[in-house]
Amino acid sequence: MSTVRRLMAFISNSLSLKHGFSIYSSSSSSFSLSKLHCNPSLVASRTFHRNRSFSVTASSFANDNREYVIVGGGNAAGYAARTFVEHGLADGKLCIVTKEAYAPYERPALTKGYLFPLDKKPARLPGFHTCVGSGGERQTPEWYQEKGIEMIYEDPVSGIDIDRHTLQTQSGKSLKYGSLIIATGCTASRFPEKIGGNLPGVHYIRDVADADSLIESLKKAKKVVVVGGGYIGMEVAAAAVGWNLDTTIIFPEDHLLQRLFTPSLAKKYEELYEQSGVKFVKGAMIKNLEAGSDGRVAAVKLENGSTIEADAIVIGIGAKPAVGPFEKVGLNTTVGGLEVDGLFRTRVPGIFAIGDVAAFPLKMYDRIARVEHVDHARKSAQHCVSALLSARTHIYDYLPSFYSRVFEYEGSQRKVWWQFFGDNVGEAIEIGNFDPKIATFWIDSGRLKGVLLESGSPEEFKLLPKLAKAQPLVDKAQLETASSVEEALEVVSKSLQAEATV
């Protein structure tokens, strides 16, 4: 099996959840977090692996008098900072240390509005700093300064001494913490260097610098190849269409977004992309990326021997949790990430993990999961900090949700926006014809488990989480005969109301 085949097979197997492209889960935990945190004797008796790779003297720390430290500068860190401010415990007490050069921002913008052609009003900072994505105040660098939050930019944490409650950064700074929140997110899965994964013109997107590099390539490119048929692949390909580029999507599965879309739903999206000029190469495995005479990437060579020319290639084959020096804090080897309880506490007292990097109890489905989604990044941050700073003890009860927005730039013939809530298990019932809208309902043992809606109204979108949370009994025959999305939503709404009166 080739290197790329092994890599893409590993990613496919790792993403075996039925919730969509970005959830990982397991049915059991390697240890009982609830017992561990409720019984101090268990804490004392358990032997933890601790990193003593560096020593710290009694000299001054880079963050003197900071009680709380957040490691990671992504969206979760920004929402956590806002929650500290709301509790009045940020000023002079909070430090955020990040590898990025920017204050936290709404990362989904990078593969949506940020990649719009330059003449179509692309998104740019400070326009999408946290927390504008949820209607909150824009937290610019000046905001953090005004709130008394210390920001340490472009200096990732390289080590931790759990015994001494001390971090060390790449530049050599020593940071003391009372409570530590790990919000390091994920890193993009990459192709190996030996098959061209690091060639000039090959791009991965996780931060602003990555997006800027891709934009420079798009300015000069004529032919773009996107590897991966998930969220990243679909969003980047839609943006490339706006640049009027020859665009091809390559993926090993049978259809787009296979872990969420049904074959019928995927076909409708594929037809929309094809109408915009996008070509698909399905069920394909990549052998290597080839360089031209100038050293830049020039083509993708498939295992079947065929070659596809490309001036720019975007790899969107998933991501892995950025556990870095925190692996010994409690890595869950089944789903990846740092395992936490329902209050986002790791097995080490005083250390928490939130956002993409956290493997947490998904209460409503009774399993441990890791969710790579902005909604979870926001909510996990708020829940963790509120629990840390107050007497709040109720555990995190998250409803999985996913969404995408593509073709939203000026001049696009059709803007696409869909939302999904719940669990895509059981039988899928599709209503509508995609023009103007379509919905898919997942029914398992008579109950509605999940629902996806494309091009819905604000009122209809607000109904989706209520349905997925309540999981009402639905008259399947009546739902199947609905003549429109509106009628189908009325059927399940009545089911919801009926259960509420019981």
Side-chain angles (χ1 to χ4, degrees), residues 495-502:
S495 299
L496 182 63
Q497 294 166 6
E499 292 218 349
T501 59
V502 174

Side-chain angles (χ1 to χ4, degrees), residues 126-369:
F128 58 97
H129 276 300
T130 304
C131 295
V132 297
S134 62
E137 183 180 5
R138 182 179 290 118
Q139 298 172 195
T140 62
E142 293 75 22
W143 182 91
Y144 292 89
Q145 186 175 5
E146 291 168 0
K147 302 301 182 183
I149 300 171
E150 180 181 9
M151 296 293 297
I152 300 177
Y153 295 103
E154 298 183 279
D155 198 6
V157 168
S158 58
I160 180 172
D161 188 318
I162 292 172
D163 290 330
R164 300 187 183 189
H165 283 217
T166 308
L167 304 168
Q168 189 171 36
T169 70
Q170 196 170 74
S171 70
K173 290 185 177 71
S174 293
L175 308 175
K176 194 75 175 175
Y177 67 86
S179 296
L180 173 65
I181 299 177
I182 302 168
T184 45
C186 288
T187 58
S189 297
R190 302 176 68 91
F191 273 10
E193 182 176 4
K194 65 181 180 181
I195 59 96
N198 293 341
L199 286 173
V202 176
H203 299 273
Y204 307 85
I205 303 182
R206 290 300 299 182
D207 56 34
V208 169
D210 293 337
D212 285 339
S213 178
L214 174 56
I215 288 170
E216 290 303 309
S217 284
L218 294 178
K219 290 177 182 178
K220 306 169 186 174
K222 294 182 179 178
K223 296 182 178 181
V224 175
V225 167
V226 180
V227 180
Y231 292 100
I232 299 296
M234 292 179 68
E235 292 174 358
V236 171
V241 169
W243 291 77
N244 297 316
L245 300 177
D246 182 312
T247 305
T248 302
I249 305 179
I250 301 173
F251 49 87
E253 297 86 9
D254 296 328
H255 60 75
L256 282 175
L257 205 56
Q258 189 157 349
R259 291 166 189 84
L260 178 59
F261 286 177
T262 63
S264 174
L265 184 61
K267 182 179 179 181
K268 291 177 173 60
Y269 280 96
E270 289 168 9
E271 289 173 349
L272 175 66
Y273 275 71
E274 287 171 340
Q275 290 168 10
S276 298
V278 176
K279 296 183 285 291
F280 290 98
V281 180
K282 307 176 188 178
M285 301 303 299
I286 295 173
K287 182 176 182 180
N288 63 277
L289 309 181
E290 298 182 338
S293 58
D294 60 355
R296 291 182 58 83
V297 72
V300 178
K301 188 170 185 179
L302 303 181
E303 286 196 343
N304 64 11
S306 62
T307 298
I308 301 171
E309 294 182 352
D311 306 301
I313 296 177
V314 183
I315 311 294
I317 56 173
K320 52 188 178 181
V323 294
F326 305 110
E327 189 169 333
K328 300 290 174 59
V329 168
L331 182 67
N332 182 304
T333 56
T334 303
V335 302
L338 304 176
E339 190 158 355
V340 297
D341 67 3
L343 300 178
F344 294 96
R345 301 174 294 191
T346 71
R347 70 170 89 188
V348 180
I351 300 182
F352 304 76
I354 59 176
D356 294 3
V357 78
F360 67 97
L362 193 56
K363 180 181 176 181
M364 67 182 299
Y365 300 127
D366 192 27
R367 56 177 174 257
I368 299 296

Side-chain angles (χ1 to χ4, degrees), residues 11 55 89 99 107 151 193 203 283 288 436 458 500:
I11 291 167
S55 61
L89 288 170
K99 67 179 181 180
R107 200 171 298 274
M151 296 293 297
E193 182 176 4
H203 299 273
N288 63 277

Side-chain angles (χ1 to χ4, degrees), residues 6-220:
R6 287 196 299 271
L7 176 62
M8 298 189 81
F10 168 76
I11 291 167
S12 179
N13 292 335
S14 298
L15 297 171
S16 59
L17 246 271
K18 293 183 178 180
H19 292 73
F21 196 7
S22 301
I23 293 187
Y24 298 68
S25 77
S26 75
S27 58
S28 63
S29 167
S30 60
F31 59 92
S32 175
L33 283 158
S34 59
K35 291 181 181 179
L36 179 61
H37 286 287
C38 292
N39 190 337
S41 65
L42 289 178
V43 177
S45 64
R46 182 171 294 278
T47 301
F48 295 116
H49 298 284
R50 293 174 177 177
N51 184 342
R52 297 184 177 86
S53 61
F54 65 91
S55 61
V56 179
T57 66
S59 60
S60 64
F61 293 95
N63 64 326
D64 281 341
N65 302 318
R66 302 301 191 271
E67 171 63 18
Y68 308 104
V69 174
I70 300 174
V71 178
N75 222 9
Y79 280 80
R82 182 173 74 170
T83 311
F84 273 105
V85 170
E86 290 170 348
H87 282 80
L89 288 170
D91 193 359
K93 297 180 180 180
L94 176 62
C95 173
I96 299 177
V97 54
T98 172
K99 67 179 181 180
E100 291 207 53
Y102 305 95
Y105 52 85
E106 303 284 346
R107 200 171 298 274
L110 294 179
T111 52
K112 299 177 177 67
Y114 203 87
L115 294 183
F116 287 178
L118 303 182
D119 62 343
K120 294 182 174 17
K121 300 180 180 179
R124 290 291 181 269
L125 290 172
F128 58 97
H129 276 300
T130 304
C131 295
V132 297
S134 62
E137 183 180 5
R138 182 179 290 118
Q139 298 172 195
T140 62
E142 293 75 22
W143 182 91
Y144 292 89
Q145 186 175 5
E146 291 168 0
K147 302 301 182 183
I149 300 171
E150 180 181 9
M151 296 293 297
I152 300 177
Y153 295 103
E154 298 183 279
D155 198 6
V157 168
S158 58
I160 180 172
D161 188 318
I162 292 172
D163 290 330
R164 300 187 183 189
H165 283 217
T166 308
L167 304 168
Q168 189 171 36
T169 70
Q170 196 170 74
S171 70
K173 290 185 177 71
S174 293
L175 308 175
K176 194 75 175 175
Y177 67 86
S179 296
L180 173 65
I181 299 177
I182 302 168
T184 45
C186 288
T187 58
S189 297
R190 302 176 68 91
F191 273 10
E193 182 176 4
K194 65 181 180 181
I195 59 96
N198 293 341
L199 286 173
V202 176
H203 299 273
Y204 307 85
I205 303 182
R206 290 300 299 182
D207 56 34
V208 169
D210 293 337
D212 285 339
S213 178
L214 174 56
I215 288 170
E216 290 303 309
S217 284
L218 294 178
K219 290 177 182 178
K220 306 169 186 174

